[in-house]
Amino acid sequence: MRKNIVAGNWKMNLDYEQGLSLFSEIVNMVKDEVVGDQEVVVCSPFIHLSSIAKLATAKVAVGAQNIHQADAGAYTGEVSASQVKSVGAAYVILGHSERRGYFGETDALLAEKVNTALKNELKPIFCIGETKDEREAGNFFDIIKTQLEQGVFHLSAEEFAKVVLAYEPVWAIGTGLTASPEQAQEVHAFIRATLAAKYGQELADATTILYGGSCNPSNAEDLFSQADIDGGLIGGASLKSRDFLSIVKAFNTK
Ligand code: PGA
């Protein structure tokens, strides 16, 4: 019904050669592991993108971790969506909490980036999630709803159908603290209900919602067994081919 995705986010790690060899290993290792309607995505730094895109397969796609919102122009140091698309990438991570937090990316800016990605036929992996303070204050459902409303709810249903969502509680990213399967499922179910209210149940049921935040080989199976968790966005554990493969395999047991 909806696609299951395990996406790796390499962040700002790996030099050129290291990235190429890790991607080749991943392609070889997942060859026999990706079953049914499952896709593996590797989101690399820009520097690797054109080379690994040439090695991409029907089962392993590549994506960027950012784009600029403008089509082209005098934006020194930035990379456009059409440039990313032109090397063969299929996805782009948008709204990651590190972009929101360290680079001041606002919901309004992210809405522009989502538009630019879709215009250039890149599928956004749009990240949402609450901070530790917001979780403790208990208003995290409101925070997540606002991120959806301001980041993607301006899209038509046809456009929204191309978006993948990733719920990433900020307190779980790179901290070793993982949301429990029940905590994650609770939010995923809330997200799907919010989508159903906006776009109808059919589109909500067809939307892939990933979990991200310290997902690793020992917790992936429990997380992925939850009804509304359709895969993972994997940071640290995506840098080791064996760990990443274990996470991909964890999905096959669903
Ligand atoms: P992590 O990162 O798996 O290292 O916690 C996840 C992410 O930032 O997407």
Side-chain angles (χ1 to χ4, degrees), residues 9 11 96 98 168 172-174 213-215 233-236:
N9 174 9
K11 308 194 179 182
H96 192 282
E98 287 152 17
E168 297 207 302
I173 295 177
S214 299
C215 187
L233 182 53
I234 319 298

Side-chain angles (χ1 to χ4, degrees), residues 3-20:
K3 191 177 246 184
N4 298 326
I5 296 175
V6 175
N9 174 9
W10 288 356
K11 308 194 179 182
M12 197 175 72
N13 293 297
L14 307 174
D15 68 21
Y16 180 73
E17 292 300 335
Q18 289 167 334
L20 252 59

Side-chain angles (χ1 to χ4, degrees), residues 216-217 220-222 224 245-254:
N216 61 44
E221 200 173 321
D222 283 348
F224 294 167
L245 181 72
S246 301
I247 295 171
V248 169
K249 275 189 184 165
F251 217 100
N252 290 350
T253 57
K254 184 160 181 168

